[in-house]
Amino acid sequence: MTPNQYVNEIVLPTLREARDARLDRRRSYLAAIVTHHTADYLTQHGEKKVRDRISATAGIHWQVVRSVTNGAKHVEADPQKHTIDFTSGTDTIRPPCFAGIAIAGLSILGDTTGAIEIPGADGVTYDLYGSSRFVVQKLIESFPASLDSCDAGDL
């Protein structure tokens, strides 16, 4: 499978499912996992220093995706290897801000979707779908020769 095929057939449909079910932990984790593994397909097809390049362009969002990918498959996280210390279940489901659904101190005024949030340093949290989407967009921008038929514009 080429990087184009992988992103178009696996990554983008998985991200769309996560976008459409923002409070679904399984879909959010899977979106991060398939996004992260795009680097393997790019490397296998000749791209150089993929992880270094995407880390430089996607920054903390790459670290969120990477930490969730590894934390979801290992029972115990290794904080020595990750900027974000994550294990499955340490995320927070933040409901949208609608009457009867919103939770004081958790929901954000004006938020109509909610999110699966990943805890970062100093109380900062990251929207997992948002991080996965950002990383995919940066992958497509950074590797145009390998991902030339990929369009993440609807995410």
Side-chain angles (χ1 to χ4, degrees), residues 7-57:
V7 170
N8 282 318
E9 296 174 26
I10 307 297
V11 178
L12 295 176
T14 304
L15 276 163
R16 289 181 189 110
E17 290 175 2
R19 174 201 62 203
D20 295 343
R22 295 293 302 276
L23 303 183
D24 188 312
R25 178 181 279 154
R26 179 183 63 83
R27 287 187 174 121
S28 293
Y29 282 20
L30 290 174
I33 291 166
V34 299
T35 296
H36 182 266
H37 284 97
T38 302
D40 297 333
Y41 285 84
L42 289 164
T43 300
Q44 183 183 38
H45 283 83
E47 295 285 359
K48 305 292 183 208
K49 299 185 178 186
V50 174
R51 285 175 176 76
D52 290 342
R53 290 167 63 187
I54 196 61
S55 182
T57 59

Side-chain angles (χ1 to χ4, degrees), residues 36-146:
H36 182 266
H37 284 97
T38 302
D40 297 333
Y41 285 84
L42 289 164
T43 300
Q44 183 183 38
H45 283 83
E47 295 285 359
K48 305 292 183 208
K49 299 185 178 186
V50 174
R51 285 175 176 76
D52 290 342
R53 290 167 63 187
I54 196 61
S55 182
T57 59
I60 192 66
H61 299 289
W62 172 252
Q63 298 307 320
V64 169
V65 166
R66 180 175 176 266
S67 294
V68 169
T69 297
N70 290 308
K73 72 179 184 180
H74 298 290
V75 176
E76 294 181 14
D78 184 351
Q80 303 289 334
K81 294 182 180 181
H82 298 284
T83 304
I84 295 175
D85 185 14
F86 175 83
T87 55
S88 292
T90 57
D91 53 274
T92 300
I93 298 173
R94 179 177 44 79
C97 194
F98 293 120
I101 297 173
I103 297 175
L106 189 57
S107 297
I108 299 173
L109 188 62
D111 177 16
T112 60
T113 62
I116 303 294
E117 292 190 331
I118 305 304
D122 300 324
V124 174
T125 59
Y126 299 94
D127 174 346
L128 182 53
Y129 165 75
S131 288
S132 297
R133 181 187 68 218
F134 187 80
V135 170
V136 165
Q137 291 168 336
K138 290 301 180 184
L139 284 162
I140 292 169
E141 289 172 17
S142 300
F143 301 96
S146 294

